[in-house]
Amino acid sequence: MKTRKKLTALILALCACVIAGCLILFTTCRFISYSSLPCAESARELRNPYTGWYQIYKYDLSDASACDLTGIQDLEHGAGLALLEFNLQGFANGPVSESALTLLDHILKSWQAAGRQLIIRFLYDWDGNALEKEPGELTVILGHMTQTAEVLNRYPDCVYIIQGLFIGSWGEMHGSRYANTSDMITLAEHLNEVTDPSIFLAVRTPEQWRLLAGSNEPLTEDSAYDGSLASRLSLFNDGMMGSSTDLNTYAEDSSVPATPYGMRNRKDELAFQNLLCAYVPNGGEAVIDNPYNDFPAAIETLANTHVSYLNEAYDPAVLEKWKAASYTGDGPYHGMNGFDYISRHLGYRYVLRSLECPGILPWKKEGKITLTLENTGFSTSFRSFDCSVILKNTQTGRTHSLPLICDTRFFLPGTQLALNTTFHTHEYSEGTYDLYLKITDPATGLPVLPANEGALTEDGFLIGSLKISRYPWGNIS
């Protein structure tokens, strides 16, 4: 009898311990639920950094020049790309003067204050007469590179690309006594040495890229962004889709490369750019109304060569042709005119496809949030962006930032990217949290907006909500 009583008491004690343990465990549980907003793709224009249409602004750098810079911030285009051309012809016989360098600094500072991303081109000729206007000695050009680089390097947050090597008619690397292998290698290596490594350089043709990179092969994921000259060299094509050869950018179809790095035919050069320009920018001007820039052919070429920027003003005949065309594909762009369709796809374009917070067991202390993005643009981003999920308590307004670890430079067009982040459930008070996707360019501080229906706020782009409770039926008020 006594043994039975002891056994009963022991069982009751064990049950009490189990119940107490369960109660203690229950008090440490967190019940997580979430809801996502519809991930509806938007066809609106985004004006994200480093992409889109650029405008050209010309400056004559000389001791006699005076520029009114007061209106830069009021320009109708607002933030975005601008191509600044600086003519150094007044210094063809010697160094750039201190007053001209000071003017260059003031110009860049004004554009920086306007929040613009800058494509820079130095040249000696605006009239197609490079032979007459360029310096007579290569050392003069090298000196100009060194002098101007000291100014450019103060603005790596807004100076995005330096086009050309200071030589050629209109700065386009042709029609110059220095457009030979030896001199171009000297110029490119010097420009690479004296300029900030975060600034891209650009040459006019794929043949020039191969020559200066010293390689017949385009960049790969392993060689991209490794700090070498090749990884900085991008392309600018001011004869884009202007003929079967893009106005002598490519060889005739029947031509055989004359040198190991020589010019190839259109098909081969487009294939080369498809690989190379996955990792360096490509842009320029679409010129001369012809079948190669008819809308269907144009979007195929722009997508395959990963074009991220184009001249907004040239060629008017081509741009008007695109405006008269219509996109007939499925999706939110159906019926949009061709110019607007191209506008929305220059560069990267991120669409949020899904938000998931996989089932979190109540006793687990770590939760996971997964976002799936698709890049529907013509190119990737060529600078890495900061990505995070922001949790904002709807009652207190307190925010928490959860980093999404990724390198957007490798988020290639036509691919999807799953971004994951984790959070410790016990570090958050009970309540409802709005979820925001926040993508920011760390160089400029500018936001990157996804191509989804919805609004961008100071906290980011609203994508859903998360509820944290200690009880499965919700919080007790």
Side-chain angles (χ1 to χ4, degrees), residues 369 371 387-391 400-404 421 435-437:
I369 297 174
L371 284 71
C387 303
S388 60
V389 172
I390 305 297
L391 278 66
H400 309 264
S401 179
L402 304 175
L404 297 163
T421 189
L435 299 178
Y436 297 88
L437 170 62

Side-chain angles (χ1 to χ4, degrees), residues 142-432:
L142 296 172
H144 291 173
M145 285 183 171
T146 300
Q147 289 183 286
T148 55
E150 291 178 1
V151 180
L152 295 183
N153 291 344
R154 300 168 195 161
Y155 301 94
D157 57 330
C158 66
V159 176
Y160 178 41
I161 300 170
I162 302 171
Q163 285 187 346
L165 299 176
F166 290 47
I167 63 171
S169 297
W170 304 284
E172 293 184 9
M173 300 179 64
H174 59 77
S176 168
R177 65 174 59 86
Y178 304 110
N180 60 76
T181 298
S182 176
D183 288 341
M184 286 199 298
I185 290 175
T186 299
L187 290 166
E189 290 180 346
H190 186 71
L191 190 61
N192 179 57
E193 179 183 349
V194 298
T195 52
D196 188 292
S198 68
I199 301 171
F200 284 100
L201 310 178
V203 291
R204 177 63 182 78
T205 70
E207 178 188 25
Q208 291 168 344
W209 187 95
R210 291 188 289 270
L211 174 70
L212 300 177
S215 174
N216 268 320
E217 299 300 323
L219 295 170
T220 65
E221 184 174 335
D222 290 335
S223 59
Y225 311 109
D226 66 3
S228 65
L229 170 59
S231 70
R232 293 181 67 188
L233 274 181
S234 64
L235 298 176
F236 71 102
N237 184 354
D238 285 352
M240 194 177 294
M241 300 176 288
S243 68
S244 63
T245 65
D246 279 13
L247 307 185
N248 298 318
T249 303
Y250 317 134
E252 297 291 346
D253 283 347
S254 59
S255 299
V256 176
T259 63
Y261 302 137
M263 188 180 290
R264 305 172 185 175
N265 64 42
R266 181 182 189 83
K267 178 182 176 182
D268 290 344
E269 294 290 36
L270 293 181
F272 183 85
Q273 290 173 81
N274 178 262
L275 298 175
L276 171 66
C277 298
Y279 304 109
V280 290
N282 191 11
E285 296 178 346
V287 298
I288 307 176
D289 182 1
N290 73 93
Y292 286 96
N293 51 46
D294 286 348
F295 177 57
I299 57 175
E300 181 178 359
T301 298
L302 295 171
N304 287 340
T305 57
H306 308 306
V307 171
S308 56
Y309 65 95
L310 287 174
N311 186 350
E312 185 181 60
Y314 198 77
D315 182 337
V318 177
L319 304 182
E320 290 301 319
K321 178 170 66 174
W322 291 347
K323 291 177 182 178
S326 180
Y327 180 72
T328 58
D330 296 331
Y333 306 99
H334 181 79
M336 178 178 287
N337 77 67
F339 179 89
D340 288 344
Y341 178 86
I342 289 172
S343 298
R344 282 141 179 81
H345 290 81
L346 290 174
Y348 57 88
R349 187 175 178 91
Y350 305 146
V351 181
L352 178 65
R353 294 302 188 190
S354 67
L355 162 67
E356 296 179 349
C357 189
I360 303 172
L361 297 173
W363 51 88
K364 293 290 186 180
K365 294 184 178 181
E366 190 172 84
K368 181 179 180 182
I369 297 174
T370 300
L371 284 71
T372 300
L373 299 177
E374 182 177 357
N375 183 0
T376 63
F378 291 152
S379 81
T380 187
S381 66
F382 301 101
R383 285 188 170 176
S384 187
F385 300 142
D386 292 334
C387 303
S388 60
V389 172
I390 305 297
L391 278 66
K392 185 175 183 178
N393 190 298
T394 57
Q395 288 185 317
T396 66
R398 184 182 178 187
T399 61
H400 309 264
S401 179
L402 304 175
L404 297 163
I405 306 302
C406 67
D407 190 336
T408 57
R409 297 176 299 179
F410 296 97
F411 186 10
L412 300 180
T415 65
Q416 291 194 347
L417 178 67
L419 301 176
N420 301 302
T421 189
T422 58
F423 63 100
H424 295 284
T425 59
H426 286 65
E427 294 180 359
Y428 296 86
S429 60
E430 293 181 87
T432 300

